[in-house]
Amino acid sequence: MSKTISKTYDPQEFEQRIYDEWEQSGSFKADDDHSKKPFAIVMPPPNITGKLHMGHALDQTLQDVLIRWRRMQGYNALWIPGSDHASIATEVKVVNKVKEEEGKTKEELGREEFLKRVWDWKEEYGSTITKQIRKLGASCDWSRERFTMDEGCSRAVVKQFVNLHKKGLIYRGNRLINWCPNCGTSLSDAEVEHSDKNAKYYYIRYPGADGSEGIVVATSRPETMFGDCAVAVRSDDERYKDMIGKKVIVPVVNREVEIIGDPYPDPEKGTGAVKITPAHDPNDFAVGERHDLPKWSCLNDDATMNSLAGKYEGMDRYECRKALIKDIDEAGYLVKTEDKVIPVGECYRCHSAVEPMISDQWFVKMKELAQPAVDAVKNGDIKLVPERFSKIYMHWLEDIHDWCISRQLWWGHRIPAYYCEDCGEIIVSETVPDKCPKCGSTRIHQDEDVLDTWFSSALWPFSTLGWPDKNEDLDYFYPTDVLVTGYDIIFFWVIRMVFSGIETMGEIPFKYVYVHGLVRDAQGRKMSKSLGNGIDPLDIIEKYGADALRFMLMNGITPGNDMRFIQGKLEGARNFANKLWNASRFVLMNITDEDGNLLPEVCESVDLSSLDLKDEDKWIISTVNSALSEITGNMEKFELALASQKIYDLIWNNFCDWYIEFVKSRLYGDDAEDKRTARLVLVAELKDLLRLLHPFMPYITEEIWSALPRTEGEATEKNPDGFLIRQAWPEYSDAKSFPAEEAEIETVMEAVRTIRNIRSEADTAPSRKVAAVILAEGDAADRLRAGERHIRTQAGVREISFIEKREELTGDVMSGVINGAEIFINTDELMDYEAEHERLLKEKKKLEGEVARVDKKLANQGFVSKAPEKVIQAERDKQVKYTEMLAKVTDRLAVVEEKIK
């Protein structure tokens, strides 16, 4: 007995079972045969702290559609999964967990013990998101799953750091960096999010050291005044050029500083005079470098004031601001305050305001590394889809600063730098040095900091393939083919992978970057906890199935653009799956015997061209065949929404709504050979359609496929070739092209739709058969004559007459125009006048009652004088509406009564 599918479509019955069968049979694995053309994707590694959200669902589905499609095309397809250690996010979670459960800080635990806790947490929770990704149907090779801190990736990170340091591309420097006081670590420029905030500008007078009035500066951060070492003005600013070189006193701080001339101040902004604090502002830092100014820091790492702040020491920065401004005001130096909208940099993780701070950190020199990454896109070696994102990519690279890569955390790749405690020598090494190479001391300790998470992620395309070791997979699969990513991490990740790949491997890391947008709610808002509008993909999968979610996401996507999650589209995708399921059940019922066994005639391998094909057979074969080139072309251009829509139309419209209806009479007929032909074509075309749909809706297509006759044998763990996932993508064939039959059936379908529209307009009962008259000539006439039997069965027509002139028509008719023909139906044919007369009498009586009721209500002075105008107007509107409807029914009744006389 053959396998059957259940009566109703319930994805919960088979999705998990099918995924397990795929994974256990090795269907996701790349072949050992390296003679095939490779196709590789590396999964953007989700954070181990993460939980599947709608953005992940979109990202993973896009990759899975591409990998399944290329696998079916015969490529040796490899999709490498993995996860990211997420330094800051993970450390924060474990710090909080330890605090809650043990009442200790990480410092009280100590580094070694704390890291044990993090690894324990990773073992318990770190695989949550990869398990959830499986629910979507992701066909990645889990046997190759990587983690950014596994042994191989960690070795790659150390190797990369040492190599770049040897080349002088990594250095340690005392520079201004972005500092998150809450996370307690430095941040790269890309990790700082800028947004406009309502704030105040304080206009403060710095009195002249010589007793003069001095100069007024405007600042939004008066608490940094303790680090002021100059006041800058433009040298050509007429207001101040005579003051350059003079000294003023920083109020409250009582420090003399010089007024200097510099190009930085904007005469149109504030007063045109700027307080210069090199230790707490990047622009001031640059001014300080030009003028060799001191760098005085007045803030601690936790954003409290340090000893330089005097009596304000220990205060939080904002607490200090209030107290300091109060004192400045009382001393008579506060000129005015002004409400302003200013850009504020915030930590991308905790959203605390970032402080620019002077610190000893490790940096990557970017100028030399950036240029090859620019050239790779300019030369077309790497193509961003859509192309407009190339401008964003270029903007980041052309204005790039050295990358601060050290983080003041414990969880992550510890920097492979060692310090001699006796002579201060810094040793960068892949292994722990026994002694200092300079002085021979054994008193050596490793740098306490870890590397930016993105440093390890930048190596992902080649570290996951085994680098720094040389191996066949690295030679074969690198460079990879496509990177799928959101537009929000083009700089965070994409650019860093590009320059790291070129620098390390001598080649670009991937050929295409497919950039997608965000999944927003139905109102276009970003999904967030604060808005409470987040949608859990696992809840959607539980209710609708993974296939419906996947198809909705793919059918609504445009490269680079945000999309909206619309419930109706999800339900539409579920309805599509249900339609396919029911159509497949119809096919199966017609190719099996009473015991549910497949009929022997459909189990044979048959060349369709050897059959006596009817016009509708040739039409469906040719229609599907013609669409193949378009769909494949859409896939090649990453137009996945267009491809999925064309597949949808083929299945819903052409196969389900038309072809199945065309062949029903043949399946129920007595001609055994014709019945066999219809069955074989149904099976062949359904299988081709399942192949096309499989990358988008893998579960339902695999389940239906398993019940159809196939020459590959039953899919099992030992015979993965029986699975649909391992079948070939359909290709266009000239032998399957029947343009004449395509044109004929398309004309017939147009005629059927037109007759159905006429019947609908006339409200003709579905059971009523009508006579149609067709005025046509040339090819259209020939096609309609050839397809007459379909017009009869599909449009409720009992007879068809062909005329050559309009004058041959008699009586009142309703008509419709199609390409090359006009179709007429006599109104007497469309209408059962006796029944219509009875219906109209009832409708007239009902409307007369409504008109009388409204008239009476409006004639009631009590109602008119007391009811609100809005209510009265509503009744007047009803009066007009019912009166007009009654007039139409009366007129129509007169016509009908004339007909039945």
Side-chain angles (χ1 to χ4, degrees):
M1 181 161 177
S2 67
K3 176 179 175 179
T4 59
I5 60 174
S6 59
K7 287 185 179 180
T8 56
Y9 169 60
D10 181 3
Q12 298 303 323
E13 283 186 4
F14 55 82
E15 287 192 347
Q16 187 60 54
R17 168 177 54 78
I18 287 175
Y19 194 89
D20 292 341
E21 289 171 356
W22 283 332
E23 192 169 357
Q24 289 160 13
S25 66
S27 294
F28 301 157
K29 293 183 178 181
D31 296 335
D32 293 331
D33 181 5
H34 284 190
S35 64
K36 287 184 176 181
K37 189 174 181 180
F39 181 84
I41 296 177
V42 289
M43 178 187 289
N47 292 345
I48 57 170
T49 57
K51 183 185 174 189
L52 194 72
H53 57 63
M54 205 52 73
H56 290 129
L58 174 61
D59 198 73
Q60 299 297 328
T61 302
L62 280 165
Q63 293 172 82
D64 195 47
V65 168
L66 294 172
I67 208 78
R68 285 178 183 269
W69 167 56
R70 288 300 197 191
R71 188 185 289 125
M72 294 178 80
Q73 281 194 314
Y75 286 78
N76 196 359
L78 172 65
W79 183 14
I80 301 177
S83 52
D84 192 282
H85 63 281
S87 284
I88 297 177
T90 306
E91 182 152 322
V92 167
K93 277 192 177 291
V94 179
V95 163
N96 291 338
K97 185 173 186 285
V98 169
K99 187 72 175 173
E100 289 171 12
E101 296 178 1
E102 302 178 48
K104 292 182 179 180
T105 65
K106 70 174 188 178
E107 288 78 14
E108 288 170 336
L109 273 181
R111 186 173 196 136
E112 186 176 344
E113 196 59 37
F114 177 74
L115 289 178
K116 281 183 184 177
R117 302 285 201 284
V118 185
W119 280 107
D120 289 344
W121 186 92
K122 190 263 179 191
E123 289 305 308
E124 187 174 355
Y125 300 106
S127 61
T128 298
I129 193 161
T130 53
K131 288 175 183 174
Q132 293 172 337
I133 286 169
R134 284 171 162 87
K135 291 279 187 184
L136 284 164
S139 63
C140 38
D141 186 348
W142 294 106
S143 69
R144 294 174 180 256
E145 185 176 359
R146 302 302 301 270
F147 175 51
T148 49
M149 280 184 64
D150 66 27
E151 189 277 331
C153 288
S154 295
R155 196 154 48 86
V157 167
V158 172
K159 183 76 172 178
Q160 182 78 344
F161 187 96
V162 172
N163 286 352
L164 293 178
H165 184 265
K166 283 179 181 175
K167 293 180 180 180
L169 294 173
I170 283 182
Y171 66 94
R172 184 167 172 80
N174 184 254
R175 297 177 62 83
L176 194 72
I177 51 96
N178 304 299
W179 183 264
C180 175
N182 186 53
C183 295
T185 186
S186 59
L187 302 171
S188 68
D189 290 345
E191 293 170 313
V192 179
E193 295 178 344
H194 294 275
S195 59
D196 290 338
K197 302 283 186 183
N198 291 322
K200 290 189 181 297
Y201 252 33
Y202 301 94
Y203 288 76
I204 301 168
R205 183 170 65 85
Y206 284 38
D210 59 2
S212 62
E213 187 70 14
I215 196 167
V216 176
V217 302
T219 179
S220 61
R221 302 171 67 220
E223 66 275 10
T224 63
M225 287 170 59
F226 303 103
D228 285 2
C229 58
V231 171
V233 296
R234 277 276 285 273
S235 301
D236 57 355
D237 191 327
E238 292 294 331
R239 295 171 295 177
Y240 305 123
K241 66 179 183 179
D242 293 337
M243 298 179 69
I244 294 172
K246 291 185 178 180
K247 300 283 184 75
V248 291
I249 298 171
V250 182
V252 178
V253 180
N254 293 322
R255 178 190 302 134
E256 281 192 14
V257 296
E258 186 177 336
I259 298 174
I260 59 175
D262 191 88
Y264 164 58
D266 180 356
E268 303 297 320
K269 185 178 178 183
T271 64
V274 182
K275 64 188 241 14
I276 300 300
T277 319
H280 294 293
D281 183 274
N283 294 309
D284 292 5
F285 182 87
V287 173
E289 291 285 281
R290 288 194 290 272
H291 295 270
D292 196 24
L293 298 174
K295 303 175 181 69
W296 295 316
S297 177
C298 58
L299 285 166
N300 295 314
D301 288 351
D302 62 355
T304 58
M305 307 308 295
N306 66 20
S307 59
L308 201 63
K311 70 175 187 177
Y312 307 96
E313 181 179 2
M315 285 187 179
D316 172 77
R317 54 185 163 171
Y318 301 125
E319 183 187 356
C320 172
R321 181 183 298 176
K322 289 180 183 177
L324 179 60
I325 285 298
K326 183 174 181 291
D327 290 346
I328 289 172
D329 189 20
E330 289 177 354
Y333 297 116
L334 183 64
V335 177
K336 65 174 181 175
T337 61
E338 187 175 83
D339 290 329
K340 278 273 189 181
V341 174
I342 62 170
V344 175
E346 296 178 337
C347 173
Y348 79 112
R349 280 289 175 197
C350 69
H351 303 293
S352 298
V354 167
E355 282 292 343
M357 303 271 269
I358 292 286
S359 179
D360 287 325
Q361 302 287 343
W362 290 91
F363 297 86
V364 176
K365 286 183 180 177
M366 288 308 308
K367 191 171 183 181
E368 185 178 328
L369 292 170
Q371 192 54 50
V374 169
D375 295 340
V377 170
K378 276 188 177 177
N379 299 338
D381 299 327
I382 295 176
K383 293 180 173 64
L384 277 78
V385 180
E387 197 277 332
R388 71 175 186 271
F389 281 98
S390 298
K391 293 179 181 177
I392 296 171
Y393 175 97
M394 291 297 182
H395 170 74
W396 275 107
L397 281 172
E398 287 165 359
D399 189 35
I400 201 163
H401 302 289
D402 285 358
W403 174 18
C404 177
I405 55 171
S406 44
R407 298 289 180 270
Q408 289 62 53
L409 302 166
W410 286 356
W411 173 244
H413 297 99
R414 196 166 175 181
I415 292 173
Y418 303 85
Y419 302 88
C420 176
E421 296 174 14
D422 290 324
C423 72
E425 179 73 359
I426 300 177
I427 308 113
V428 172
S429 171
E430 291 181 47
T431 57
V432 180
D434 296 325
K435 59 183 180 180
C436 173
K438 185 175 180 181
C439 73
S441 172
T442 57
R443 291 169 18 95
I444 295 170
H445 69 271
Q446 188 175 355
D447 197 305
E448 293 290 323
D449 292 349
V450 299
L451 287 163
D452 180 4
T453 297
W454 297 103
F455 189 89
S456 54
S457 300
L459 316 184
W460 196 243
F462 48 93
S463 65
T464 52
L465 289 168
W467 187 88
D469 295 335
K470 292 282 187 182
N471 63 73
E472 284 186 20
D473 278 353
L474 186 59
D475 291 339
Y476 178 60
F477 286 112
Y478 188 90
T480 64
D481 290 85
V482 184
L483 176 78
V484 175
T485 188
Y487 58 61
D488 51 338
I489 56 172
I490 288 178
F491 182 76
F492 273 115
W493 194 39
V494 177
I495 287 172
R496 287 166 177 168
M497 278 190 289
V498 174
F499 69 67
S500 297
I502 295 172
E503 169 63 26
T504 308
M505 301 296 295
E507 287 185 89
I508 55 172
F510 29 72
K511 297 152 197 163
Y512 292 93
V513 179
Y514 179 101
V515 183
H516 62 77
L518 304 175
V519 182
R520 297 182 177 273
D521 71 7
Q523 298 174 47
R525 300 174 302 174
K526 189 174 180 179
M527 293 184 184
S528 67
K529 287 182 181 178
S530 59
L531 289 174
N533 62 345
I535 298 167
D536 188 340
L538 297 178
D539 291 343
I540 300 297
I541 291 170
E542 183 70 26
K543 185 174 181 181
Y544 295 94
D547 284 330
L549 175 60
R550 288 169 62 110
F551 195 81
M552 184 275 290
L553 290 170
M554 292 301 94
N555 198 240
I557 192 171
T558 306
N561 292 341
D562 293 344
M563 66 176 293
R564 296 189 181 192
F565 185 94
I566 297 173
Q567 188 69 23
K569 289 188 176 180
L570 179 65
E571 290 168 1
R574 164 69 190 234
N575 292 342
F576 174 51
N578 204 55
K579 179 94 168 180
L580 172 62
W581 188 265
N582 291 335
S584 300
R585 272 185 49 77
F586 173 83
V587 173
L588 286 166
M589 284 189 294
N590 282 280
I591 62 171
T592 52
D593 60 22
E594 293 177 355
D595 296 323
N597 295 309
L598 289 167
L599 298 172
E601 66 189 44
V602 298
C603 296
E604 304 166 8
S605 181
V606 178
D607 181 355
L608 294 183
S609 64
S610 67
L611 302 173
D612 182 16
L613 299 171
K614 291 285 200 303
D615 288 354
E616 63 267 25
D617 300 328
K618 292 180 179 178
W619 165 76
I620 191 66
I621 292 168
S622 189
T623 298
V624 173
N625 186 55
S626 298
L628 292 179
S629 297
E630 285 184 36
I631 293 167
T632 302
N634 292 141
M635 299 290 281
E636 295 279 1
K637 291 183 284 188
F638 301 99
E639 297 168 345
L640 304 187
L642 287 176
S644 65
Q645 186 60 45
K646 286 171 185 172
I647 297 166
Y648 174 98
D649 291 340
L650 281 175
I651 292 172
W652 188 297
N653 298 329
N654 299 88
F655 187 74
C656 297
D657 283 356
W658 288 103
Y659 184 67
I660 285 178
E661 295 303 318
F662 283 152
V663 299
K664 277 182 178 177
S665 60
R666 294 162 62 190
L667 292 170
Y668 305 148
D670 298 324
D671 187 333
E673 190 57 33
D674 188 42
K675 195 180 292 189
R676 172 176 175 265
T677 296
R679 286 168 174 160
L680 289 169
V681 174
L682 274 170
V683 170
E685 295 313 301
L686 177 56
K687 288 174 78 172
D688 269 356
L689 292 170
L690 292 176
R691 285 187 180 99
L692 287 172
L693 183 60
H694 178 74
F696 298 92
M697 302 180 84
Y699 289 117
I700 186 174
T701 52
E702 189 73 78
E703 180 70 357
I704 295 168
W705 180 269
S706 68
L708 292 174
R710 54 200 186 281
T711 57
E712 304 84 4
E714 186 178 351
T716 64
E717 187 173 338
K718 293 183 178 179
N719 181 35
D721 288 343
F723 287 110
L724 175 56
I725 192 175
R726 286 289 185 175
Q727 302 309 306
W729 180 256
E731 294 182 356
Y732 175 85
S733 168
D734 285 337
K736 292 183 177 181
S737 179
F738 302 105
E741 286 77 3
E742 270 199 74
E744 175 202 319
I745 298 299
E746 291 295 336
T747 301
V748 166
M749 288 161 60
E750 201 178 352
V752 170
R753 282 191 288 264
T754 299
I755 294 171
R756 286 175 178 173
N757 287 340
I758 292 172
R759 293 175 64 102
S760 176
E761 287 175 26
D763 202 20
T764 304
S767 59
R768 187 177 180 85
K769 301 291 182 181
V770 301
V773 178
I774 298 177
L775 173 62
E777 57 184 29
D779 291 342
D782 294 340
R783 292 168 187 160
L784 291 167
R785 288 180 190 277
E788 186 175 335
R789 65 189 173 90
H790 293 311
I791 298 173
R792 289 171 180 269
T793 58
Q794 300 304 311
V797 175
R798 72 173 186 277
E799 67 177 83
I800 298 174
S801 304
F802 288 86
I803 60 174
E804 295 180 357
K805 295 179 182 178
R806 187 182 278 268
E807 288 73 23
E808 297 177 49
L809 289 169
T810 58
D812 295 330
V813 295
M814 294 181 71
S815 66
V817 178
I818 65 172
N819 187 23
E822 194 169 0
I823 301 171
F824 307 92
I825 301 176
N826 197 288
T827 54
D828 293 343
E829 290 285 330
L830 294 165
M831 196 77 65
D832 180 341
Y833 286 108
E834 292 290 347
E836 179 68 358
H837 183 254
E838 188 176 340
R839 186 188 72 78
L840 288 169
L841 285 174
K842 289 179 181 177
E843 184 69 12
K844 182 184 178 187
K845 185 176 180 181
K846 178 183 173 185
L847 287 168
E848 284 173 340
E850 289 294 338
V851 170
R853 183 190 64 78
V854 176
D855 286 347
K856 185 178 179 181
K857 199 168 189 179
L858 290 173
N860 184 341
Q861 287 303 311
F863 169 74
V864 174
S865 62
K866 294 178 182 178
E869 181 58 33
K870 193 175 180 180
V871 174
I872 297 170
Q873 186 58 48
E875 291 300 319
R876 287 173 180 153
D877 292 343
K878 287 179 189 176
Q879 185 183 47
V880 172
K881 181 178 77 171
Y882 291 139
T883 302
E884 288 177 352
M885 289 172 67
L886 179 60
K888 288 178 181 177
V889 168
T890 302
D891 290 345
R892 178 68 180 150
L893 192 58
V895 173
V896 171
E897 286 175 344
E898 185 67 28
K899 289 284 185 182
I900 59 177
K901 277 182 181 179

